[in-house]
Amino acid sequence: PDVKRIRNFSIVAHVDHGKSTLADRLLEITGVIKPGTEHAQVLDQLQVERERGITVKAVTASLNYTHNNEQYLLNLIDTPGHVDFANEVVRSVSACQGVIMLVDANEGVQAQTVAVHSLAKRNNLLIIPTLNKVDLPRANPDKVKSQLKTVFDIDPATVLSISAKKGWGVEELLQAVITRIPPPIVKLDDHFKAHIIDTWHDKYRGVLCLAYIHSGKVRIGQTVKWRSGSKQHTVKFLALLRPQEEPIEEAGAGQVIMVGCGPKGGGSVGDQLLSIDCADTGDAITVAPVRHMVYAGVFPADQSQHTQLSDAIKKLALNDSAVSVTPDSSPALGQGWRVGFLGLLHLDVFTQRLLQEYKAEAILTAPSVPYKIKVKGSKIIKQYKGEEVIITNPLQLPDANNIAEYYEPLVIGTIITPVEYIGAVTSLCIDRRGTPLPSNAVDDRMTMLQYILPLSEVVVDFHDTLKSITSGFASFDYQDYGFHPSPLIRMDILLNGVLVEELSTIVHVSRLEYNARRLTEKLKEMIPRQMVQVAVQAVVGGKVYARETIKAYRKDVTAKLYGGDVTRRKKLLKQQAEGKKKMRSVANIKIPRNTFIDVLKK
Ligand code: GTP
């Protein structure tokens, strides 16, 4: 098609403001799916997405639409709707020229609306402000229009009103996509150059890529190369995604297509696919490098499943380029991996996908955030080549005497809350070591608060706590604010004087006594009584901050059974033997394996 009649756009919104429902309506109007297939949510392909009702992977749908007797190709690039997946959002918008910004006409502007608006602005995308759910009796379009004016300076006259559910106003919205969003600016008569915005793995065809073509054309059978490599490949698969694949022979600049070069053809997100005569590879779309916000140890439930889990993780990591995977091992849990995630939901979704799509069961340790340190006299500590080191596991921390400075990751948190909860939200943020930034009114009932918060205080349960203290009315979103100096310290756990390395944590000095008490108390609860008395100590640099004692006890599981029932007795002994296998032994103290998994979780 003529580039002038291509529109590449995305729908961005706060969670639950109706993105998937609108996508379904657009697919219906353009004839992709039959009207009336309610809740079809065609773009939400993964099982996880259907179950949780959240969009995880960015996918695309190429739609045909006739406007003023002219055929248009509308590429709807779906974006995930959750803070954790901000990186995928950035990637998807890199192929767009405009966005439909949906705002629930009842709920109004929410924290994530602020985030997606600034993302669109930063990427110079045209924004079509659209109120959704105007069919709801409590919808108040005028109120929300004035919020949009106050918060983003959006002219109320440019705001559209729709009901994605009922289909009201959706035709007008499609026309606005054509008249307001500019066509892609690309060169058709140039060398072929495409940017990879997504990849997934196909059993038979190898890596398949979602690509945005910047310039030139591509054909089945054409010889191409990756910007990252020198090997030549042949284009084997080309298709439009509608969103089902529709094979095509050729595609040109401005289009968003599926491309594959066969099982050995490779392809990864952020790379470029080029014609072999293409020397100029400049003006690549820069995708912000992935920042891993949360790390967790991932281990097979049983070491015999190591190979299977390893395979599954490899495949999933290819599809989910936002995870980082490095081998890890622990005396308690065996051989495994340290995996970096964008956030807690990302971590959840990753494990769920491992199980559902790859039938691999994994054990996850408590999540932690990365820290940074500046090493004193780096020449002495040979394993650290640079001066500044990112620490993803407390055990990597060198001796405190060799650390010149500690840094922890901070975020800017945006909270939109009804005014009556300002007090409660403020206390929560202060309690989580937050520093307030200027606040802004959204309207006479809602306020936008912003805080600089330590990521470690946010990742665990901040969002849940915020929701519960505001009866679910406040919304939250955060963006990375980088590493900042902070008084941190490594806290170790000793059992009868012996260090249990898996239980070391990095804590803020103001939290030291609280964490020391909490951890020792929890360990006392989780470690069963032993033949000998066990002292549980939380220590920092030789100083004990908390101590608990587990009294000695001779454990005899059959003691309760007097005489008789031999089978029952045998069964109990067998269970006990199996239980023992799942123990880690430290200084003759048997610790159940799940202690290592659960004790650091909140
Ligand atoms: P994420 O993928 O998690 O970001 O959610 P989403 O933005 O895709 O929201 P979704 O389309 O799943 O809609 C959320 C809820 O709002 C669903 O229960 C929809 O049925 C409902 N909904 C969406 N549009 C409308 C509408 O126009 N009117 C009414 N009454 N309900 C709607």
Side-chain angles (χ1 to χ4, degrees):
D2 185 343
V3 176
K4 286 199 208 75
R5 289 200 292 277
I6 295 177
R7 298 290 181 275
N8 297 324
F9 69 105
S10 207
I11 306 170
V12 292
H14 188 77
V15 177
D16 280 348
H17 282 196
K19 220 163 35 104
S20 310
T21 310
L22 175 61
D24 281 357
R25 277 310 85 74
L26 297 183
L27 262 54
E28 247 175 54
I29 289 184
T30 53
V32 175
I33 54 173
K34 283 202 203 83
T37 16
E38 212 175 326
H39 305 306
Q41 311 229 328
V42 181
L43 290 185
D44 286 357
Q45 286 172 334
L46 304 171
Q47 195 184 342
V48 194
E49 293 182 358
R50 281 181 189 275
E51 278 177 12
R52 301 192 164 212
I54 48 164
T55 313
V56 180
K57 291 280 309 166
V59 276
T60 192
S62 301
L63 313 170
N64 290 328
Y65 187 69
T66 313
H67 176 70
N68 286 344
N69 289 325
E70 298 209 78
Q71 264 260 305
Y72 285 83
L73 180 65
L74 308 182
N75 293 311
L76 164 60
I77 299 161
D78 195 24
T79 53
H82 192 274
V83 283
D84 274 11
F85 303 105
N87 189 67
E88 298 245 349
V89 182
V90 175
R91 204 143 29 86
S92 327
V93 300
S94 66
C96 292
Q97 285 74 46
V99 294
I100 296 172
M101 184 174 87
L102 273 191
V103 184
D104 186 318
N106 173 31
E107 278 199 351
V109 171
Q110 299 289 308
Q112 228 183 315
T113 318
V114 178
V116 293
H117 181 270
S118 81
L119 176 78
K121 279 281 169 200
R122 274 201 306 280
N123 288 279
N124 291 318
L125 302 181
L126 186 123
I127 298 168
I128 304 179
T130 308
L131 306 185
N132 187 28
K133 310 196 189 181
V134 294
D135 61 298
L136 288 176
R138 284 192 304 160
N140 191 344
D142 289 336
K143 183 193 80 179
V144 182
K145 277 183 196 172
S146 85
Q147 290 183 345
L148 291 172
K149 173 78 185 145
T150 311
V151 183
F152 307 121
D153 199 25
I154 289 176
D155 177 0
T158 63
V159 180
L160 299 181
S161 291
I162 66 163
S163 163
K165 193 170 185 175
K166 310 259 181 196
W168 303 346
V170 178
E171 286 277 359
E172 290 79 358
L173 178 58
L174 273 176
Q175 281 155 25
V177 166
I178 289 169
T179 54
R180 296 194 200 174
I181 297 176
I185 302 166
V186 288
K187 279 190 237 145
L188 204 56
D189 52 357
D190 202 344
H191 305 294
F192 166 66
K193 179 160 83 181
H195 187 92
I196 306 306
I197 46 183
D198 198 4
T199 63
W200 58 102
H201 193 261
D202 182 284
K203 237 186 200 163
Y204 306 104
R205 297 178 291 175
V207 181
L208 296 175
C209 308
L210 183 67
Y212 174 56
I213 309 177
H214 283 275
S215 63
K217 289 182 192 159
V218 63
R219 293 189 57 81
I220 291 275
Q222 183 173 332
T223 311
V224 290
K225 64 182 179 191
W226 291 105
R227 181 183 184 166
S228 62
S230 51
K231 256 176 118 180
Q232 298 194 351
H233 301 280
T234 307
V235 174
K236 299 242 169 65
F237 312 102
L238 268 187
L240 289 178
L241 296 173
R242 288 193 180 279
Q244 292 82 0
E245 287 176 33
E246 179 185 301
I248 47 174
E249 282 296 309
E250 188 185 79
Q255 282 193 271
V256 180
I257 48 133
M258 184 205 90
V259 58
C261 300
K264 294 211 170 105
S268 61
V269 171
D271 206 348
Q272 289 177 3
L273 194 60
L274 310 164
S275 59
I276 42 168
D277 56 354
C278 183
D280 154 44
T281 54
D283 61 271
I285 303 166
T286 44
V287 177
V290 176
R291 276 283 309 272
H292 296 110
M293 300 289 220
V294 178
Y295 285 82
V298 178
F299 295 89
D302 189 304
Q303 280 299 315
S304 66
Q305 294 159 13
H306 186 272
T307 322
Q308 192 198 350
L309 185 59
S310 166
D311 259 19
I313 289 178
K314 258 186 226 145
K315 281 192 190 132
L316 193 48
L318 177 74
N319 184 242
D320 183 349
S321 63
V323 298
S324 78
V325 182
T326 44
D328 189 16
S329 73
S330 137
L333 304 170
Q335 297 291 324
W337 301 265
R338 188 102 189 137
V339 184
F341 302 95
L342 303 172
L344 281 183
L345 182 72
H346 186 207
L347 179 156
D348 259 18
V349 166
F350 184 86
T351 30
Q352 209 177 333
R353 286 187 67 189
L354 268 182
L355 191 62
Q356 284 173 353
E357 293 166 43
Y358 301 97
K359 311 275 172 267
E361 211 166 331
I363 289 173
L364 269 89
T365 64
S368 65
V369 305
Y371 294 96
K372 196 169 84 174
I373 53 162
K374 193 182 272 175
V375 181
K376 267 190 219 160
S378 56
K379 278 181 201 125
I380 305 166
I381 306 165
K382 287 203 190 80
Q383 74 256 46
Y384 301 115
K385 290 191 193 93
E387 278 257 286
E388 291 187 340
V389 188
I390 301 274
I391 303 287
T392 59
N393 188 335
L395 287 176
Q396 300 165 337
L397 266 190
D399 190 78
N401 295 329
N402 290 317
I403 301 175
E405 185 92 79
Y406 295 84
Y407 305 83
E408 71 174 324
L410 301 181
V411 295
I412 294 183
T414 301
I415 298 157
I416 291 188
T417 176
V419 287
E420 60 265 37
Y421 299 112
I422 292 178
V425 173
T426 304
S427 318
L428 171 67
C429 292
I430 299 295
D431 180 53
R432 299 301 177 95
R433 301 194 279 125
T435 312
L437 296 171
S439 60
N440 290 296
V442 173
D443 59 24
D444 52 354
R445 286 193 42 250
M446 304 292 283
T447 287
M448 177 166 104
L449 302 174
Q450 289 196 307
Y451 275 82
I452 296 175
L453 289 158
L455 179 60
S456 63
E457 301 281 344
V458 170
V459 287
V460 183
D461 64 346
F462 184 86
H463 203 176
D464 291 346
T465 312
L466 178 73
K467 283 278 174 198
S468 80
I469 62 171
T470 62
S471 311
F473 286 116
S475 59
F476 175 68
D477 198 358
Y478 61 80
Q479 73 192 63
D480 187 10
Y481 190 55
F483 283 99
H484 292 262
S486 175
L488 301 170
I489 199 87
R490 170 173 148 187
M491 183 175 87
D492 295 320
I493 294 292
L494 307 183
L495 295 185
N496 283 351
V498 179
L499 176 82
V500 189
E501 42 192 49
E502 293 101 319
L503 297 177
S504 295
T505 48
I506 296 175
V507 295
H508 190 264
V509 289
S510 71
R511 286 269 192 269
L512 187 54
E513 298 198 4
Y514 171 79
N515 282 13
R517 240 178 300 120
R518 207 184 114 252
L519 200 53
T520 47
E521 279 165 15
K522 258 184 114 177
L523 284 167
K524 184 182 177 181
E525 267 169 44
M526 296 187 75
I527 300 174
R529 288 182 171 194
Q530 317 265 328
M531 301 286 276
V532 292
Q533 174 168 304
V534 179
V536 184
Q537 294 172 306
V539 299
V540 172
K543 185 165 180 244
V544 179
Y545 279 80
R547 180 196 159 111
E548 290 287 336
T549 308
I550 304 169
K551 291 223 170 67
Y553 174 61
R554 194 171 188 287
K555 195 176 170 201
D556 182 355
V557 284
T558 61
K560 277 183 290 210
L561 300 165
Y562 35 92
D565 194 340
V566 180
T567 34
R568 173 104 185 103
R569 195 184 159 88
K570 272 190 184 152
K571 193 174 161 199
L572 275 171
L573 287 169
K574 189 167 165 246
Q575 276 173 359
Q576 193 190 31
E578 267 165 21
K580 269 187 191 153
K581 273 192 236 152
K582 297 214 166 119
M583 297 270 180
R584 148 116 147 93
S585 172
V586 178
N588 281 328
I589 301 159
K590 303 248 185 298
I591 313 167
R593 212 164 71 137
N594 66 321
T595 308
F596 299 95
I597 302 155
D598 296 331
V599 78
L600 294 173
K601 291 181 181 166
K602 285 222 169 165

